[in-house]
Amino acid sequence: LLKTKSVTFTWNKLNKSASYVFQLKANDWTNGTIIEQRNTTDSTLTFELGDGSYYWGVKAVNNLNSSSEYAVRNLKIDTAAP
């Protein structure tokens, strides 16, 4: 549970990866609405998000455009006062 709207997503770089595909979805990874999708060579992205449940995933892409499966994590943001 996060109490801030500024969220930094970080992952480990993989050898032989040319880039990464990052996806951020609301509520559910399988059927959730895609909020953000980025192709990047960085291993860190920061977003301002509202309260709610989110799932995020990253997959590596090599020079031959082959990719791994998404590694998926979830988080919840609640900035309301107790």
Side-chain angles (χ1 to χ4, degrees):
L1 180 64
L2 299 176
K3 294 288 188 184
T4 181
K5 293 184 180 229
S6 179
V7 180
T8 299
F9 299 92
T10 304
W11 56 92
N12 294 326
K13 288 193 169 191
L14 299 176
N15 291 337
K16 299 184 181 179
S17 293
S19 64
Y20 302 92
V21 179
F22 173 91
Q23 276 193 358
L24 177 65
K25 297 183 179 184
N27 301 318
D28 178 312
W29 179 253
T30 305
N31 299 310
T33 302
I34 296 175
I35 296 171
E36 186 71 46
Q37 179 168 321
R38 296 248 178 116
N39 296 326
T40 182
T41 56
D42 294 327
S43 60
T44 302
L45 292 170
T46 301
F47 298 100
E48 295 290 322
L49 301 173
D51 288 0
S53 295
Y54 299 93
Y55 284 77
W56 66 282
V58 175
K59 68 178 179 178
V61 180
N62 67 19
N63 288 329
L64 301 174
N65 212 27
S66 254
S67 65
S68 64
E69 295 292 319
Y70 278 99
V72 178
R73 304 286 184 266
N74 65 323
L75 67 118
K76 183 174 183 178
I77 298 173
D78 183 357
T79 59

